[in-house]
Amino acid sequence: MLEIKNVKKSFGKQEVLKDVSLRVEKGDVIVILGPSGSGKTTLLRSLAFLEKADGGVMMLGDKSLDMHNASSKDIAWVRKRTAFVFQNYNLFANKTALENVMLGLTAGRGMKKDEAERIARKALRDVGLEDRMDYYPSRLSGGQQQRVGIARAMAVKPDVIFFDEPTSALDPELVGGVLSVMKKLAEDGVTMIVVTHEMKFAREAASKVIFMDGGVIVEEGDPETVFTHPKEARTRKFLRRILDHEDIPEDREGIPEVRAAVKSIPSVSAMPGFM
């Protein structure tokens, strides 16, 4: 459904993405892990044309695009088929939750107001905000604002939703509610590409886990393989650090301990804020 080949991006002399290629099938949940500066967010923003790649090809559906030379018409075409959930919500402060969701339908899709309102109300109910539709962002918690952002993305029925660290700006007690909504989307077959450090979500919801470092995909595979039998030393080092188990050795003998560490994390449904 979505495929990219040889995507490159530099900021000045710093090469952030180095010939990155990725294939996404309909219904896939791709979770991208990696340290800060690995290129994962730049990749996501390039896919949404929020950053202009220096090179690479995107195939979305039956259409192929040169990512560096895509026209404004091409970019608009891609954005009508995708949606982006930001770290910091990006809601309009002067609009209610309902109006924020409706805006992508009326202004972005040219939909009539009555139809847009019907769809927006359903999307907000689906993320558990049926009693907050008329609230302005200032009256919503961070977790509720992020769920409005997810409802906004869901409402336009995109081919794929991009999530950029959707829980990174939240207080710990609010993370579970957002992750539960995302897990439900995964169970419903929504195609997603998610940049996150939430290991339990990756393990439970992903169809494929990708580990990036230094602007390249170091390792990819199903969650069980990546978490319990990672092939690359760099992946093992990252898992030890992110799981705070520094005593896990570098060699393959350490992998069972990585597995135990991952399994010790509370499930998404047990997290504070779970709906």
Side-chain angles (χ1 to χ4, degrees):
M1 186 193 75
L2 170 64
E3 186 173 6
I4 56 169
K5 294 182 178 180
N6 307 117
V7 178
K8 303 177 182 179
K9 177 65 180 177
S10 295
F11 294 102
K13 294 182 179 180
Q14 183 181 7
E15 193 175 10
V16 179
L17 298 176
K18 307 172 184 177
D19 283 321
V20 176
S21 297
L22 174 65
R23 182 178 179 86
V24 182
E25 302 292 349
K26 184 175 177 60
D28 274 351
V29 178
I30 308 295
V31 172
I32 305 177
L33 307 175
S36 297
S38 61
K40 56 190 188 297
T41 289
T42 299
L43 175 61
L44 205 66
R45 291 178 62 84
S46 296
L47 292 176
F49 288 90
L50 299 174
E51 298 284 356
K52 186 176 182 180
D54 297 327
V57 175
M58 171 186 282
M59 286 152 282
L60 181 57
D62 58 359
K63 189 167 184 173
S64 179
L65 302 171
D66 180 328
M67 294 179 69
H68 181 65
N69 296 308
S71 66
S72 56
K73 183 178 179 180
D74 288 335
I75 293 172
W77 183 86
V78 170
R79 288 179 178 169
K80 284 186 177 181
R81 285 156 180 80
T82 61
F84 202 102
V85 177
F86 296 87
Q87 292 183 35
N88 296 311
Y89 328 133
N90 277 25
L91 302 180
F92 290 97
N94 63 338
K95 295 185 179 299
T96 65
L98 181 64
E99 290 168 340
N100 266 282
V101 178
M102 287 177 61
L103 192 63
L105 298 168
T106 54
R109 300 295 192 275
M111 189 177 291
K112 291 182 178 179
K113 185 177 179 180
D114 288 350
E115 179 69 2
E117 182 174 342
R118 182 187 67 79
I119 293 171
R121 286 185 179 277
K122 181 181 184 305
L124 287 166
R125 285 195 298 271
D126 288 345
V127 299
L129 292 177
E130 60 273 11
D131 59 343
R132 296 291 188 272
M133 295 189 189
D134 296 325
Y135 283 40
Y136 288 92
S138 61
R139 295 185 62 198
L140 299 173
S141 70
Q144 290 168 342
Q145 289 185 62
Q146 190 60 289
R147 281 188 273 162
V148 173
I150 294 172
R152 178 175 57 189
M154 292 166 51
V156 298
K157 300 187 183 305
D159 293 338
V160 57
I161 303 178
F162 304 123
F163 291 83
D164 181 21
E165 296 278 14
T167 60
S168 66
L170 300 179
D171 291 334
E173 66 268 23
L174 301 177
V175 169
V178 171
L179 291 181
S180 69
V181 170
M182 293 174 63
K183 191 175 181 184
K184 179 63 164 56
L185 291 178
E187 292 168 352
D188 290 344
V190 176
T191 307
M192 301 187 285
I193 303 178
V194 184
V195 169
T196 186
H197 283 106
E198 299 291 344
M199 298 293 107
K200 200 66 177 182
F201 174 81
R203 185 169 178 266
E204 293 181 351
S207 55
K208 180 188 288 187
V209 173
I210 289 172
F211 173 63
M212 289 187 68
D213 193 27
V216 300
I217 294 176
V218 175
E219 187 160 354
E220 61 182 292
D222 64 88
E224 184 68 14
T225 299
V226 172
F227 280 115
T228 65
H229 301 290
K231 298 175 182 177
E232 303 297 328
R234 182 65 187 93
T235 311
R236 296 195 293 275
K237 182 177 180 181
F238 175 80
L239 288 174
R240 287 199 316 277
R241 181 180 64 80
I242 205 72
L243 295 173
D244 199 27
H245 280 251
E246 297 299 333
D247 57 327
I248 298 173
E250 291 278 356
D251 59 24
R252 293 300 297 275
E253 276 65 278
I255 300 310
E257 295 174 73
V258 175
R259 179 166 58 249
V262 174
K263 288 184 177 179
S264 71
I265 306 172
S267 67
V268 170
S269 60
M271 290 182 178
F274 181 81
M275 295 187 305

